[in-house]
Structure formats: C-alpha cells, structure tokens
Amino acid sequence: MTALSVSTSSAASLRADVLVIGVAKGPKGLIVAAGAEAVVEAFEGKLAEVLTTLGATGAEGEAVKLPAPAGLKAPLVLAVGLGEAADGAFGAEELRKAAGVAARTLAGTKKVALALPTEDVEAVALGALLGSYAFGTYKAESKAPVAELVVLTDRKGSKDAKAAVERATVLGEEMNRARDLVNTAPNDLNPKSFATIAQAAGKEHGLKVEVLDEKALTKGGFGGLLGVGNGSTNPPRLVKVAYTHPKARASLAFVGKGITYDSGGISLKPAGHNETMKCDMAGAAAVFAAVVAAKRLGLQVNVTAWLALAENMPSGTATRPGDVLRMYGGKTVEVLNTDAEGRLVLADAIVRAGEEQPDVIVDVATLTGAMVLALGNRTFGVMANDDALRTQLHEAAGAVGEASWPMPLPADLRKGMVESTIADLANMGERMGGGLVAGLFLKEFVAEGIDWAHIDIAGPAFNEGGPFGYTPKGGTASAVRTLVRFAEETAAGK
C-alpha cells in the first residue's frame, strides 16, 4: 500500500527518487507552476526552455522526465502538465489529475516528492494516492505502485496540510477499496463473500453490520432480491452497514445495487455485453466505501449503507419473463425483462431503508445503458423526488470533481409501468427514456415524506478505455466522493 505524508522540506533538499513539478500552457508557451522555484533555480532559470526543447507543452496528461542537475537531492525530475494556466492558479481537479498522472507514470518507484502548487494540498494528495492504484491480485508479475508519496508544502500551512493529507488518505483508501471490489473476479466475489468483507470492515472500524441470508430474506418477503437471485447457486444477501454518531442531528440511508455478476438472466445479454458485468455491483461498493469513510472521518451524521446483493443467472430455477414478484412491502411487479434486475433488488432495499425513517435516501446503481447513451462514459445522472436535493447532489459532485447531470422524472413515462394487467407495476416501461423510467420505478418504493435521490453511475463506474488523470482502467469508485461530500454537508446542517 502506498504511504502518504506531508513535508515542509524544500524541493531541493528532500531526498527522493523523483521530484514532481507542475507545468502549464501559458499565453506565450510553457510556464513552470508554483512549487518548483528551487528546481528552476537549479536549472539556472532555463527549465522552461529545456522542457520545451524536449517537446513539453504543459498540456493536461503530459509527463516528461529529465535528469536533475546539481543542487537537487533527487536524481530525476518529472514535469506533469496542468493544462491551461488561468492567472497562474489551478483548480482542485487539475491538481488531482496531474498528481494522478505522476503517480501512475512513476509506478515501481520507491519515493516520490510532489512539488506541485499548494492551493489545495488535499487535491494533490488524493490525486496521487488514486493515481498510484494498481490491482494485481491475479497477475504473477505486476509493477508495484509508488511506495511512498511526500507532498511538499510551506511551513506556514503545515498543520492544515497535515490534516488535508490525513483526510485524503481516508478518501483514497476507501475509494481504492471500492475499486478492488469492482475489479475482483465474479467467481471470487459473490453475495456471500461480499457480505463477509463488509462484516470484516465493520469489525475493524466499529460499524454495526447485519446480514440477511436467503432464509431471512424468504421469511421477510424480499421478493425482489429472491427473484433476481433464484437462478444462481450463490443466493442473495441484504447487508446493512450502520455508522452512528452521538451528536448526529440527521440520518442518511445509502442504498447500493450489488449484482455481483449480471448475465441478464433468462433475458440473456448477447456476447460483447457481458464480459464486464462483474462491475454491476459498483453501486454497493460505493455506498459501502462511503459509510466506512464517514466513520473514519468522524462525521456528525448517522449514515447507513444497504447493500442489495444478488447474482443474476439463467437456470431452471431462474425468474422468467412474465413471472410476478411480491416485493418487500407488498407491491407486486410483473417481470417483463429479467435483465432489468437492478431496480428489483433496489426496490426491496429502499423499502427496508425507509422503515428506519432516514431524512434522505440516496441510491447508487449501474442501472441503465440508457443513461450511458444519454450522458456518456464519464458522467452520472442524478434524479430525485425533490429538486433541491437533486441540485445539492449535483453541486456536491461538482465540488469534488465528479461529472454529473441533473435528470428529470417525467410523469408521463410512468404510464407504461403501471399498465400491467396482472400486477401493480411492470419492471419495464417505454423504451425511450429508459434511464428515467428506471428512476420512476424506484420512486414507487420510496415511503411518503422521505426525500430520495437516484444516482445512475452506469457510465463512469467502470473504465474500459485507457487510464486518464487519476482514473485507472477498470473500477473507478464513482460516486464515493459525492456521497461523502453530501454526508459532510448534512452534518454541517446544509
């Protein structure tokens, strides 16, 4: 695991294997960002000229190595691009991305010092920790991540910088926990093993964990979870992970879709659409990580995660298109498509979460391909039964660097779902606007008087392309930071 610390040593005097500096695109060419003054001096004022000769432009994602001159303890300098310079200042997301690029580029290095601009120490620290992430569980040989990262800052703000690095460590470790879960092969991560992992984390961090197995789910009437899990030899679980603070004045419920593998069931996915379906539990991973982070940060708010875990497989015992499920709470649902299974497990969990009367329920799910078509691979959609809540989550996402977009819940799209001739609802509605239809379905299971939001992370949850910024290939931990930010705001009374 990568160690992260802060130091007030100068960039010239700190002993490290590599010294990282920032460069940017200025109006007249490449400029060197703040934090690298000692490096500029060591290059006798010609650093920008040397980098330009090597082809550096300061563009976002760029990384250029060059040997360090006399006067620096580190033998190698890495210049990372920050993008366009706006009056010499850089936003948190630019700093996160640059630090992430540096950490990934320097995989295998023992000690790296980050002499980047110090406007946001937490952003630099978090970006570096996320960029150093590597999942090598199944590889005989893989390059180790950077062993030690040191964020350089001035003495004046050293106390605040230390606190920022500590917070970044918590967020980074919990996001990487979520990434590990998403990247784990489905033959190793099933509902039971996921529940065991949650129990272990609960014991480690002092969280209360309750697990409902298939017998308890049957006794309780959780028809959605049982219906989805019927076709698998790995039965479903509903896991409650609760954090309570003695001074809390509000309570939040985070509900996560946890389909540990989604074949589509009897409505089988075609080849080309099922190879990455181990990631269909990314919502459960996100809410789980967010609650652990809330506990480790000591937030003055009660937060409970509900992990709706099942494996959606075809078999002689699987739910068929045309079957009717009696959901937890009593509503009946006609299953028209077994590949619209996420909304079924979430519905059960939302009803159960609502019984505890939280102030807000937020569900997170890789729910629909329609949302990916609408917003692409890097932006999640936010829906809610309260406009102010939707706006708050959208703005919280923006504040922490996650791309999101507020989406409506048009009443006219509800019609197709409620026209089942044999059940209260159908699990499918109109084809167009499918992501919104899924949100409307979930809304049907929210108790009256409870504010609720739905975050569809189908696009950004799993990166099938190459790594960028601090985002790796594979699991990304989408929505974790947004949930933690929202919990912090709630604790602050916002």
Side-chain angles (χ1 to χ4, degrees), residues 6 16 27 39 64 98 105 128 146 150 155 178 187 226 289 292 307 339 348 350 366 368 391 423 462 464 483:
V6 64
V39 183
V64 177
T105 301
V146 173
V150 182
R155 293 183 182 276
N187 55 316
L226 292 166
V292 179
L307 318 182
D339 195 23
D348 273 0
I350 287 171
T366 48
T368 64
T391 297
F462 194 83
E464 295 186 56
L483 293 175

Side-chain angles (χ1 to χ4, degrees), residues 12-378:
S13 63
L14 185 73
R15 292 187 181 277
D17 297 297
V18 184
L19 178 63
V20 177
I21 63 171
V23 293
K25 299 177 74 171
K28 296 182 179 180
L30 180 142
I31 62 173
V32 180
E37 290 81 4
V39 183
V40 173
E41 184 178 344
F43 275 89
E44 299 179 347
K46 297 182 179 180
L47 178 56
E49 182 181 338
V50 171
L51 286 168
T52 300
T53 301
L54 292 173
T57 65
E60 180 184 305
E62 190 176 76
V64 177
K65 295 178 182 178
L66 65 164
L72 299 179
K73 296 292 186 183
L76 189 68
V77 173
L78 177 70
V80 290
L82 289 159
E84 299 284 348
D87 300 324
F90 302 95
E93 186 65 358
E94 285 77 21
L95 294 172
R96 271 190 291 265
K97 288 179 179 178
V101 169
R104 185 174 61 254
T105 301
L106 297 173
T109 306
K110 288 185 178 179
K111 185 175 182 179
V112 173
L114 297 158
L116 293 169
T118 57
E119 286 102 325
D120 194 328
V121 172
E122 182 183 321
V124 173
L126 180 57
L129 195 56
L130 294 176
S132 68
Y133 174 81
F135 185 76
T137 300
Y138 301 109
K139 291 189 175 184
E141 295 182 9
S142 60
K143 187 176 284 189
V146 173
E148 183 181 358
L149 291 161
V150 182
V151 180
L152 302 183
T153 186
D154 55 53
R155 293 183 182 276
K156 197 177 203 180
S158 59
K159 188 176 180 180
D160 290 340
K162 185 178 179 181
V165 167
E166 289 174 351
R167 185 176 185 280
T169 298
V170 171
L171 286 174
E173 288 178 354
E174 293 312 318
M175 287 180 68
N176 287 340
R177 181 201 296 273
R179 289 171 169 183
D180 280 348
L181 286 165
V182 174
N183 289 329
T184 299
N187 55 316
D188 287 331
L189 188 73
N190 55 51
K192 182 179 180 180
S193 62
F194 197 151
T196 300
I197 290 169
Q199 288 173 317
K203 186 175 182 180
E204 179 183 358
H205 295 291
L207 298 162
K208 185 177 180 181
V209 180
E210 298 176 16
V211 179
L212 297 185
D213 62 13
E214 65 273 29
K215 291 182 180 179
L217 292 172
T218 300
K219 184 178 180 180
F222 290 85
L225 277 157
L226 292 166
V228 173
N230 269 348
S232 175
T233 56
N234 297 306
R237 296 286 188 272
L238 179 61
V239 181
K240 175 186 177 183
V241 184
Y243 160 60
T244 57
H245 192 285
K247 295 182 180 180
R249 295 183 178 180
S251 62
L252 304 175
F254 295 158
V255 179
K257 173 188 173 183
I259 304 299
T260 57
Y261 182 75
D262 181 19
S263 69
I266 297 297
S267 306
L268 194 66
K269 293 179 185 289
H273 291 77
N274 54 19
E275 292 80 359
T276 60
M277 281 298 101
K278 65 180 183 180
C279 78
D280 215 18
M281 37 57 66
V287 302
F288 172 44
V291 170
V292 179
K295 171 62 170 68
R296 293 179 63 184
L297 293 171
L299 304 185
Q300 291 187 22
V301 60
N302 295 334
V303 189
T304 301
W306 297 88
L307 318 182
L309 308 176
E311 189 174 67
N312 188 23
M313 297 291 286
S315 74
T317 59
T319 293
R320 298 154 291 240
D323 283 356
V324 174
L325 304 178
R326 187 171 295 279
M327 312 294 284
Y328 184 71
K331 286 185 179 178
T332 56
V333 174
E334 181 183 9
V335 178
L336 300 180
N337 186 330
T338 64
D339 195 23
E341 84 299 329
R343 63 199 71 184
L344 299 175
V345 301
L346 286 172
D348 273 0
I350 287 171
V351 175
R352 177 63 188 89
E355 290 181 336
E356 300 197 353
Q357 291 295 303
D359 294 287
V360 179
I361 295 174
V362 180
D363 76 72
V364 183
T366 48
L367 203 60
T368 64
M371 195 59 62
V372 185
L373 291 172
L375 300 178
N377 291 318
R378 297 189 184 184

